[in-house]
Amino acid sequence: MLLIAIAADIAGACSEHDVQQTPNLLLSSDRLTAEHATCSKLRSVPQDATGPRDQSGRYVKGSKPVLIRNATIWTGEPVPGTSLEDAHAGKGYAWISSDVYMEHGLIKRVEPAISVDSLSHDCDVWDAQGGLLTSGIVDMHSHTGVDSLPDLVGSEDTNELSNDITPYVRSIDGLNPLDPQLQVIKSGGVTTSLVLPGSGNNIGGEAFVIKHAVGKPDGRPEISAEDMLADPEKHWRYMKMACGENAKRVYGTVGREFGPFSRLGEAWYFRHAFEQASTLVKAQDDWCDAADRLGAENMPDYLPMDLHWESLGAVLRGQVMVNTHCYTIPDLEAFVRHTNEFKFPVRAFHHAHGTYLVPEILKRAYGDRPPAAALFADNMYYKAEAYVASEQAGKILYDSGITPVYVSDNPVLNAQHVVFEAAKAYRYGLPYHAALAGVTSASAELLGLGERIGKVKPGFDADIVVWDSDPLSVGATPIQVWIDGTAQYDAPVELKKPAPEPMKPDIALADVGAEMVGKADVIFAGVSKVVLPGTEYQLNTEGSLGHVVVRKGVITCVGRCQDDILAAQGDRVEVLQLRNGHLAPPITAFGSFLGVEEIAAEEDTQDGENDESTFSAALDGLLFGSKSLNAAYSHGVTRAISAPAFKNGGHKGVSVGFKTGALHALDEGAVWNDEAAAHYTLTLAAKQGKTPSLSSAVSELRTKLLKAVDANATDARLSLEDRKLNEVVAGKTALVIDVHSADIIASVLRLKAEVEAATAAKSSESHAIRLVIFGGAESHLLAPELAAANVSVVLAPLLAYGVSWDQRRSLTGAPLTNGTAIGILHAAGVKVAIGTSEDWETRDLALYAGIAHVNSGGKISESEALKMVSSNIYEMLGLKEKYVAGPGDFVVYDGNPLQIDSRVRAVADGRGVVSVWT
Ligand SMILES: *[C@@H]1O[C@H](CO)[C@@H](O)[C@H](O)[C@H]1NC(C)=O
Ligand SMILES: *[C@@H]1O[C@H](CO)[C@@H](O)[C@H](O)[C@H]1NC(C)=O
Ligand SMILES: *[C@@H]1O[C@H](CO)[C@@H](O)[C@H](O)[C@H]1NC(C)=O
Ligand SMILES: *[C@@H]1O[C@H](CO)[C@@H](O)[C@H](O)[C@H]1NC(C)=O
């Protein structure tokens, strides 16, 4: 206090120029001078990393130059001279034939027919054979490295939950370069990720942009997180913030002094934090201004510093790109208010499922550009905040001048497939070039690295992917990935596919205004393919497009149909024109919580969860009239088989077969199988209550089944569980077990043999248990054993990755592994189906069938793949209802349902009407 007063006196008494200062003998003048020097750093405003250089800052001496010959390249830019307006509309973008030369960690030349004579003599040549080449994929929302997989307590470093406001922590301090997921992600073409702290806190801490190259095998000098930094010169800093549900769930406790308990509290915690940071910034600025005037050695005190608020101060100084997890209108609006109150920009709102409703609110944010929206394409409804989400969000935002980008939130989605999010965004109406930009150039630009990564252009970092098919096509897989010009795979597994061709962007997908109407009669024109197994309806118009005539909800004619059409025209039946129309069988969702749960994080919207001592029938808790059921139905999933949920994950109880389009359970045909199968769970979730170990859970199931072998199956007063178990041991009801671990699957196979032996010992009539493995991440390890035991597998998800310990031996596919579980099980003769592990995935079942087909090297045909999401399920469960696909049950698509540019135009589920989207 005293020193400040003295300084003020001096400053007040003398004019600035002739002041005779008395150096303060209590302070170190060296330190004062050094701190004065930091003032310019405090005041500096970062610029984006610049473009062309001679050598990348990440270049490792000794890395050889590479010439990629004969590629088909998406540069990520329109041709020079394209106006902004045209570029926004996608004009000037094209795939071009060219070579790429990379040296010193940079792309040096992108030109056709580069002569080797003009290049460094030690250059490697890689023949792309016309393959499709893009820049590496950029994922600007990942937790890889801090949320290491498989999830283990010891390596979980996502959220610093000691306080709601932790701007002072940094993701790089927990980043584990040996997280195997870093390599899995790269195998999907992702070369750069923004590693954010989690969203448990309102202010989560600093984030870092990394490249997925680790240690010597990836061309790096050593295994080090620091060495992974994408921008070693550190132009920008990044910070994660989060609004809404998470922080109040994590911290809110009634009466506790610190919260937040509500959004009201969150806004206060944000503002209070910004106020602290702002106080620090002002004190520093005052000090620096005074030191400029008076000379550092004359300052009465040192530069104010406070590590607690340093990084948030940098936010207010405009040196940090803020990325904020924010879903809802109140959250977005509150956060935009904070940006204006404290004058800092927000670079992107993440998750952002509500942004498409309020682009103008985003435009009110502080700064000279509105924040972008970092989205999932169709992962939605999982929490209350995500319940307003729209599949069309990307397109709507893009049309409103807000940049949509697509992110994984790895491990929420496996970032290996983040390009599939962009593909689905394209499917839902975002223009092709904008969808691709949403995982390359637009994301790079939002990281301040738009002149370094995300495009194939001289002077950019040499991060390149060559794909086996168009990157936005179903199942697109890298053949090779380069980071800083170094090929990342010595012997990549390459899938057998037809010669790759770029997709022809389908602008009809942008027409998203379709309304659903129910019609009894309709004529579909422009039909090129009809696949309705077991019916007489096969298209035989010899190459020309045919018609499908529907009367009273039932197909009456396929083909030329002149008479039917004439008759229908007399009745003024509407003709619906299809683009490359396909008729395909309806899809059945198996293993989702459709009908028993609407919002995963909201108990009130669910039937509830059974625990180790309860067992129920899903039929008794079936819930209709939900958005998830609507979404399933509108994607051609007319039927679902759902079991009650089990506490902590999985299923327990009796599943029900029902129609997703029904109004309620008493609607005619709504429930077509009261008791489809008996379900138990032996994943890690099985360790609870009276079965604290996996061994005790297996043992309990064994005891129950052996008891059933001895029981009197005719006793009408048996409990539901005893009755079902009696049916299971008699081979009349399928036993479906949620299990991933190959070791526990082995236990289940032994258990099956034991119970069957007990049945055989008791009666002359021996029965095989109809066993179905659900989940099955590691089931490929036991493919021959499963085939020998006649056990079928429902893969859920189709493409497992090592999220949890019991899934760590998942096969993630090319270029890392030779195939995935589905191909290996199929080749071994195991009956396979594709289930869903989360409800939103039911939308994508047809595309999953597409992946199973297109990535099978010709071994799984299209029609076999479609059976994996329909009839196979009925066969493996041995249901008395045969799978229905026929004149009254069908789905009409524009395009091939297994391909990305298909769209459902009509659905019929045997109720006498066709739902048509016009
Ligand atoms: C590029 O590759 C394609 C596909 O393999 C081939 O047909 C073509 O001849 C190649 N062009 C050159 C210039 O090598
Ligand atoms: C099984 O139950 C039925 C009906 O309750 C009874 O008539 C029959 O004797 C029982 N059989 C055995 C073996 O207990
Ligand atoms: C395998 O199981 C299915 C149904 O569970 C049954 O129809 C079939 O006969 C069994 N095959 C063998 C070889 O046991
Ligand atoms: C991948 O597996 C298939 C089928 O088992 C085998 O024929 C092929 O040789 C394997 N490829 C590689 C690269 O190991």
Side-chain angles (χ1 to χ4, degrees), residues 620-693:
D620 293 327
L622 207 48
L623 309 158
F624 284 89
S626 66
K627 285 191 177 188
S628 306
L629 287 173
N630 265 337
Y633 182 79
S634 65
H635 283 266
V637 182
T638 64
R639 292 162 170 248
I641 300 170
S642 299
F646 184 54
K647 200 167 148 193
N648 302 337
H651 300 91
K652 177 130 182 261
V654 180
S655 49
V656 61
F658 66 100
K659 290 189 181 172
T660 57
L663 275 180
H664 52 71
L666 302 180
D667 209 1
E668 198 188 324
V671 174
W672 48 268
N673 190 309
D674 291 3
E675 297 182 356
H679 297 249
Y680 288 88
T681 291
L682 290 174
T683 59
L684 298 177
K687 296 195 248 186
Q688 56 173 282
K690 281 181 288 188
T691 57
S693 58

Side-chain angles (χ1 to χ4, degrees), residues 1-24:
M1 259 305 146
L2 182 64
L3 294 175
I4 291 168
I6 292 169
D9 273 357
I10 294 168
C14 317
S15 76
E16 276 185 30
H17 297 286
D18 57 6
V19 62
Q20 284 295 309
Q21 301 286 358
T22 317
N24 190 316

Side-chain angles (χ1 to χ4, degrees), residues 403-459:
T403 303
V405 295
Y406 289 86
V407 297
S408 69
D409 194 9
N410 190 85
V412 170
L413 297 181
N414 179 1
Q416 180 192 356
H417 302 298
V418 73
V419 74
F420 189 46
E421 294 305 295
K424 289 182 289 183
Y426 162 65
R427 171 181 182 75
Y428 293 128
L430 184 64
Y432 179 91
H433 74 287
L436 210 40
V439 284
T440 53
S441 55
S443 319
E445 197 274 334
L446 285 166
L447 296 172
L449 297 173
E451 295 298 316
R452 290 271 169 100
I453 56 175
K455 291 181 185 173
V456 182
K457 209 177 156 181

Side-chain angles (χ1 to χ4, degrees), residues 73-83 85-96 433:
I73 300 178
W74 184 264
T75 63
E77 294 198 319
V79 289
T82 309
S83 71
E85 198 181 327
D86 281 354
H88 191 262
K91 293 182 191 152
Y93 286 89
W95 288 91
I96 57 165
H433 74 287

